[in-house]
Amino acid sequence: MKKPLWSSSFGFTNVNSQCEYIDYHVGKMIIHSGQLLHQIAPLKKYHPEDRRITLQGHAILSNNGTYLLYW
């Protein structure tokens, strides 16, 4: 795994309607409630050989209080 050259941030809209960014780290997940308006950070520079492959995961809270994660 590796981060794309052109963007390595997760953008989200905070409670004041301002866009903030969090850097991605290889091997780590960003987890949020699902109610957060989010996007990949804007393109800084185009690299034709670059690739971006993402996994989108979901979680369900079970009756016993544990989460079932899937992607």
Side-chain angles (χ1 to χ4, degrees):
M1 294 180 82
K2 68 177 189 173
K3 295 191 295 186
L5 299 171
W6 55 270
S7 180
S8 59
S9 297
F10 169 88
F12 68 95
T13 304
N14 66 23
V15 295
N16 298 319
S17 297
Q18 301 294 316
C19 193
E20 294 186 33
Y21 298 98
I22 299 171
D23 284 337
Y24 287 117
H25 298 280
V26 174
K28 303 289 183 183
M29 277 196 272
I30 294 176
I31 300 173
H32 63 88
S33 69
Q35 303 300 313
L36 185 66
L37 182 61
H38 61 283
Q39 65 186 20
I40 189 164
L43 177 65
K44 294 179 184 174
K45 185 176 179 185
Y46 176 69
H47 297 274
E49 71 283 355
D50 202 11
R51 302 291 181 265
R52 178 174 183 256
I53 300 170
T54 61
L55 296 175
Q56 181 174 343
H58 302 275
I60 298 172
L61 182 60
S62 70
N63 292 336
N64 67 4
T66 60
Y67 286 95
L68 171 62
L69 302 173
Y70 61 98
W71 50 90

